[in-house]
């Protein structure tokens, strides 16, 4: 018998399968909500403060005021799900008013706050040894990609196109420049230096991205936050993707062609081990 994991729903901890959300919830009807994904290693939430700050910025950007001790909710949730390596998914929507109307509810409606924790698995040996494959697709998203909105249909379609074409992920291109992957930030390496698009409205300002840049700079690897015209892909020695659930992983094939030598590159290998050491130092992770 498997027991349902513990979730958090509107002020209470309860089993995940006991959570029920109204069909009138604006998150369901309009994708009128925002979310966070926070990793925990060895029971310790990693970079919790920047995740909470980004959640607050996302809420502010959609004009949703919610008083909540986000850090405490996530810390308790991880503890109630028996520590270890997990990630917390936390979503806040503009609640469930009595009627469906595009405008914000005119009566006070409590927001819907939901969080769950899931086990966080290390990438497979195959991925670490051989890397991921990706296709390139047009970035058809809106102009507020820095908001961590639950409106992810364009990301979903990009990822599914990759899967349908036998690849792992999709790298998006807007107005001739590389932006990000379907659920992660994008990097390329050329002559031992790291290049990643600037943190503007075109990308999510990834917390993992900030860790990657911080570790690289602290260890003397030059980093450039610059626009990357799509032609830069062809001359890249390495391509990477980063996110809270994947750390930073190599992409070794793009659109069926090998990146550099077609193997995870030395700069990625260095960054990966710096990242794992950093996690162990901060959280005592077993990875
Ligand atoms: N996604 N860009 C996009 C579009 C993302 O969805 C994500 C993360 C990132 C990386 O952000 P961070 O390093 O803060 O996780 C960049 C999460 C993991 C998700 O949607 O599941």
């Amino acid at each position: 018998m498997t027991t349902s994991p513990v979730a958090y729903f509107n002020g209470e901890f309860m089993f995940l399968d006991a959570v029920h959300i109204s069909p009138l919830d604006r998150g369901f009807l309009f994708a009128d909500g925002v979310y966070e994904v926070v990793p925990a290693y060895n029971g310790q939430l990693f970079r919790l403060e920047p995740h909470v700050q980004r959640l607050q910025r996302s809420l502010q950007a959609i004009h949703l005021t919610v008083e909540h001790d986000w850090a405490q909710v996530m810390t308790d949730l991880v503890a109630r799900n028996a520590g270890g390596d997990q990630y917390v998914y936390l979503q806040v929507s503009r609640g469930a008013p009595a009627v469906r109307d595009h405008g914000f509810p005119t009566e006070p409606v409590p927001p819907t706050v939901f969080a769950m924790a899931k086990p966080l698995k290390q990438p497979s040996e195959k991925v670490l040894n051989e890397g991921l494959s990706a296709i390139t697709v047009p970035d058809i998203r809106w102009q507020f990609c820095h908001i961590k909105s639950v409106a992810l249909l364009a990301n979903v379609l990009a990822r599914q196109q990759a899967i349908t074409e036998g690849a792992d992920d999709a790298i998006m291109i807007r107005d001739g420049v590389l932006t990000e992957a379907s659920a992660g930030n994008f990097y390329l390496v050329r002559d031992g230096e790291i290049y990643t698009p600037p943190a503007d409205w075109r990308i999510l300002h990834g917390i993992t991205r900030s860790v990657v840049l911080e570790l690289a700079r602290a260890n003397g690897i030059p980093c450039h936050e610059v626009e990357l015209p799509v032609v830069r892909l062809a001359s890249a020695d390495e391509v990477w993707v980063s996110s809270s659930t994947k750390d930073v992983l190599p992409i070794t094939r793009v659109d069926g062609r090998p990146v550099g030598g077609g193997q995870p590159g030395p700069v990625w290998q260095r960054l990966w081990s710096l990242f794992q050491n950093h996690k162990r130092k901060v959280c005592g992770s077993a990875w």
Side-chain angles (χ1 to χ4, degrees):
M1 195 187 84
T2 53
T3 46
S4 174
V6 177
Y8 176 86
F9 182 52
N10 291 340
E12 283 177 58
F13 290 95
M14 59 178 75
F15 289 122
L16 180 60
D17 56 14
V19 174
H20 297 289
I21 295 176
S22 165
L24 286 173
D25 195 279
R26 292 177 62 93
F28 176 61
L29 293 176
F30 296 115
D32 186 358
V34 296
Y35 76 108
E36 268 302 322
V37 175
V38 188
Y41 308 108
N42 198 30
Q44 309 290 314
L45 286 151
F46 180 65
R47 300 279 168 138
L48 178 57
E49 193 53 35
H51 278 282
V52 168
Q53 284 166 0
R54 186 173 65 187
L55 175 63
Q56 278 159 343
R57 285 198 303 276
S58 296
L59 287 166
Q60 203 175 14
I62 69 161
H63 312 287
L64 184 51
T65 309
V66 190
E67 293 302 324
H68 235 81
D69 190 342
W70 305 113
Q72 196 61 52
V73 167
M74 290 193 258
T75 304
D76 289 351
L77 189 63
V78 168
R80 283 167 188 260
N81 283 285
D85 291 351
Q86 307 175 24
Y87 68 90
V88 172
Y89 174 90
L90 185 147
Q91 170 172 332
V92 188
S93 78
R94 207 180 308 276
V99 290
R100 176 184 179 274
D101 187 277
H102 286 64
F104 292 176
T106 46
E107 300 293 314
V109 172
T112 304
V113 179
F114 166 69
M116 62 181 171
K118 290 278 176 190
L120 187 55
K121 295 195 183 72
Q122 189 174 14
S124 69
E125 284 299 312
K126 187 174 176 348
V127 168
L128 294 176
N129 291 331
E130 296 173 19
L132 300 166
S133 60
I135 58 168
T136 52
V137 298
D139 191 341
I140 60 168
R141 297 176 300 164
W142 67 335
Q143 301 196 345
F144 295 106
C145 296
H146 58 291
I147 301 174
K148 203 161 170 58
S149 157
V150 295
L152 290 172
L153 189 52
N155 306 60
V156 166
L157 294 176
R159 172 70 67 84
Q160 188 54 43
Q161 187 179 336
I163 293 167
T164 303
E165 294 182 20
D168 298 305
D169 208 344
I171 300 168
M172 297 184 277
I173 299 167
R174 189 195 287 261
D175 300 329
V177 299
L178 299 150
T179 55
E180 56 185 341
S182 65
N185 288 115
F186 173 84
Y187 311 75
L188 62 81
V189 175
R190 172 78 184 165
D191 294 332
E193 307 197 355
I194 299 170
Y195 296 81
T196 195
D200 60 20
W201 58 271
R202 290 172 288 192
I203 66 165
L204 185 74
H205 302 184
I207 307 302
T208 321
R209 176 184 179 280
S210 65
V211 179
V212 167
L213 296 177
E214 183 185 306
L215 291 174
R217 286 180 175 134
N219 288 278
I221 308 172
C223 299
H224 310 275
E225 296 177 66
V226 289
E227 276 195 357
L228 295 171
V230 69
V231 291
R232 299 285 301 271
L233 257 182
S235 60
D237 301 321
E238 301 181 27
V239 167
W240 310 341
V241 60
S242 79
S243 79
S244 291
T245 49
K246 294 194 168 88
D247 297 349
V248 57
L249 291 178
I251 293 176
T252 49
R253 291 191 81 77
V254 178
D255 291 332
R257 284 183 293 277
V259 177
Q263 296 290 319
V267 184
W268 171 74
Q269 271 155 4
R270 175 119 193 265
L271 232 295
W272 174 262
S273 82
L274 287 169
F275 207 114
Q276 303 317 310
N277 288 341
H278 179 71
K279 278 173 12 185
R280 263 191 290 272
K281 204 167 96 192
V282 177
C283 304
S285 164
W287 283 24

